Amino acid sequence: MSSAPESTAAPAVEESKPKRRKRVPFAAQLLIGLVLGLALGYAAREWSVAWLGTTLETVGTLFVQLLFLIVPFLVFTAIVASIANLRNLANAGRLVAKTLGWFAITSLIAVVIGLAIGLATNPGSGVELSSAAAAPETQGSWTDFLTGIIPTNLVDAFVNVNVLQIVFVAIVVGAAAAKLGDKAEPFLKFNASALALIQKALWWVIRLAPIGTAALIGKSVYAYGWDLLEPLAVFSIDIYAAALIILLIVYPVLLRVFGKVSPVQFYRKTWPAIQFAFVSRSSVGTLPLAQKTVTDRLGVDRDYASFASPFGATTKMDGCAAIYPAIAAIFVAQVYGVDLGVQDYLLIAFVSVIGSAATAGLTGATVMLTLTLSTLGLPLEGVGLLLAIDPIMDMIRTATNVAGQMVVPVIVAKSEKLLDREVFDAAPQPLDEAAAFGGDEPAPRKGEAALQPA
């Protein structure tokens, strides 16, 4: 009796599902744009390809214009919402005090490092005055700073994008709305809706960041090259060295000692925001990406982050308001042969900690530098020596600013039990998925499955 032959038929093929196209991670897109921009800028400058240089400049300018188009409305609605959201937090006063306290502490550490590096390297020695330009048109003084906080015309504050005045108005409106209670609910709902709309539009711009990165970096290389850095090589190295000390030593130590979290995990998750800040040179422009990183990737409580992130983006500037003016003041004093004493260094520290709001989250730190120089009685014409290389310096300054703006919320949230460690320790949530760009998908919290990388 022969047994039935084994079936040789192939197993039924399951109905195939369309494969989802794997996305290139947002951080990788930015890195590709950075490398491409360096190559294109070098090619345009080395071989005098004028049309390529013009194209890079045009695309970069358009990207920045798109980024800044809604900055006034983003700042206003974000600050109003952040002040109002403090009503949802217990011990809101203590949270605000701790946040401002850590802002001051990290700024003080940054300015001390800047002063130490400047005194050790003498960045102004050997620099000739003949290369100096005239004093900048935009200057800062304590009188201008204090009187400039309150706008004389609300419309002008928005039209001229005076971020410091917009922040002042937003704080007043937010505090008044919080005090009114139920009567202000319709306004707060409208403000929240407007903020969501603005962030959605800005996320569309941020998705163009790889293209903007290539254009902005390429434009800088084409326009400036490295020739301008040679007479100011020590100063340039000092700025980057101080910023890297803050980024790679100070912040990791603070995160480990006071935040009780892994610095490696922190930078793994915040790297796209830091990269974007480096290229865009704008803390405010990086705000949506940084705030989403703080909540969805680092696990900071949303209500607290909605206060800390917008407020930090407009007032916490370890790079622009601490490192840069400290080293630049020493540089200008040495160029003009002015001896600085202990009281002058204390003044630099005071200006850096108290006056950082003068930078107001926009590109450049000229106002902050002139505020420092005028306080010390140093010639404002010295700023002209540094204007040519300011865009190159501003990249690392802004990256340091944004990193610090994400470090402090983590430290404060950990101390107040507002940090979700499961979210912090989970694999990075992709920032280039549709849900990450203004979507309504909530961040994973305890008991929920964390999204895996794309």
Side-chain angles (χ1 to χ4, degrees):
M1 181 178 176
S2 63
S3 59
E6 293 184 3
S7 173
T8 57
V13 179
E14 294 183 2
E15 185 178 349
S16 60
K17 296 181 180 179
K19 290 184 178 180
R20 187 179 181 183
R21 184 170 57 87
K22 191 173 182 179
R23 291 175 179 266
V24 179
F26 186 64
Q29 294 178 30
L30 290 175
L31 185 59
I32 292 171
L34 183 66
V35 174
L36 181 61
L38 288 171
L40 292 175
Y42 176 80
R45 184 177 180 87
E46 188 70 13
W47 294 297
S48 301
V49 186
W51 68 265
L52 179 56
T54 302
T55 301
L56 291 171
E57 183 174 0
T58 302
V59 174
T61 301
L62 288 174
F63 178 72
V64 172
Q65 287 178 343
L66 285 172
L67 196 61
F68 288 167
L69 179 62
I70 50 181
V71 159
F73 307 103
L74 173 66
V75 171
F76 179 81
T77 54
I79 294 292
V80 169
S82 69
I83 298 297
N85 284 343
L86 289 175
R87 298 177 305 166
N88 302 326
L89 294 171
N91 303 316
R94 189 170 66 193
L95 281 170
V96 173
K98 278 191 174 184
T99 302
L100 296 180
W102 274 108
F103 282 1
I105 290 170
T106 51
S107 294
L108 185 59
I109 293 173
V111 75
V112 168
I113 290 174
L115 289 172
I117 290 180
L119 291 173
T121 59
N122 299 317
S125 61
V127 178
E128 298 180 0
L129 285 173
S130 59
S131 60
E137 296 181 2
T138 303
Q139 300 176 6
S141 68
W142 284 107
T143 302
D144 294 336
F145 173 65
L146 294 174
T147 58
I149 293 176
I150 304 174
T152 55
N153 187 308
L154 188 59
V155 175
D156 286 345
F158 281 84
V159 171
N160 298 325
V161 195
N162 190 318
V163 177
L164 186 58
Q165 293 181 352
I166 295 171
V167 169
F168 173 79
V169 173
I171 290 175
V172 172
V173 172
K179 191 70 175 176
L180 276 176
D182 293 340
K183 292 182 179 179
E185 280 304 317
F187 168 74
L188 291 177
K189 288 181 179 179
F190 171 78
N191 183 82
S193 178
L195 176 59
L197 185 151
I198 291 168
Q199 287 181 322
K200 168 69 83 171
L202 195 52
W203 272 113
W204 291 341
V205 178
I206 290 176
R207 294 188 75 170
L208 299 174
I211 299 174
T213 296
L216 290 171
I217 292 293
K219 167 190 170 184
S220 296
V221 174
Y222 174 71
Y224 305 109
W226 305 112
D227 298 336
L228 289 174
L229 293 177
E230 290 181 5
L232 302 173
V234 176
F235 176 82
S236 305
I237 293 171
D238 283 356
I239 296 295
Y240 271 79
L244 290 175
I245 289 173
I246 296 293
L247 286 169
L248 302 180
I249 298 177
V250 174
Y251 289 160
V253 169
L254 294 178
L255 287 166
R256 175 64 72 184
V257 174
F258 297 98
K260 311 293 184 184
V261 296
S262 166
V264 174
Q265 181 76 338
F266 172 85
Y267 279 111
R268 183 186 177 198
K269 292 192 167 187
T270 60
W271 189 243
I274 294 173
Q275 275 186 290
F276 185 76
F278 182 85
V279 175
S280 69
R281 298 167 44 216
S282 170
S283 295
V284 171
T286 312
L287 173 57
L289 181 59
Q291 185 170 341
K292 192 165 190 66
T293 299
V294 167
T295 55
D296 289 7
R297 285 190 155 198
L298 300 180
V300 174
D301 178 86
R302 292 181 185 279
D303 288 330
Y304 169 60
S306 70
F307 160 76
S309 291
F311 202 71
T314 53
T315 59
K316 176 165 177 53
M317 306 287 162
D318 289 347
C320 292
I323 293 172
Y324 182 69
I327 297 176
I330 293 174
F331 169 85
V332 172
Q334 291 177 347
V335 168
Y336 285 89
V338 178
D339 293 327
L340 298 179
V342 175
Q343 70 276 10
D344 296 311
Y345 300 128
L346 292 176
L347 267 178
I348 293 173
F350 174 79
V351 173
S352 298
V353 174
I354 303 300
S356 60
T359 56
L362 294 178
T363 55
T366 301
V367 173
M368 185 64 198
L369 177 55
T370 56
L371 176 64
T372 305
L373 296 183
S374 62
T375 301
L376 296 174
L378 293 172
L380 296 180
E381 287 78 9
V383 181
L385 285 163
L386 307 175
L387 289 179
I389 63 168
D390 188 72
I392 300 173
M393 298 299 100
D394 202 25
M395 292 176 179
I396 193 65
R397 292 192 315 235
T398 307
T400 307
N401 294 343
V402 170
Q405 292 157 14
M406 293 185 286
V407 166
V408 170
V410 170
I411 294 175
V412 175
K414 178 64 174 65
S415 69
E416 293 292 319
K417 296 180 172 55
L418 295 174
L419 182 70
D420 191 333
R421 285 302 299 267
E422 289 186 10
V423 174
F424 186 96
D425 295 332
Q429 194 178 19
L431 289 172
D432 52 342
E433 293 290 341
F437 290 96
D440 299 325
E441 195 69 26
R445 287 294 184 256
K446 290 181 179 179
E448 298 177 354
L451 293 179
Q452 297 301 313

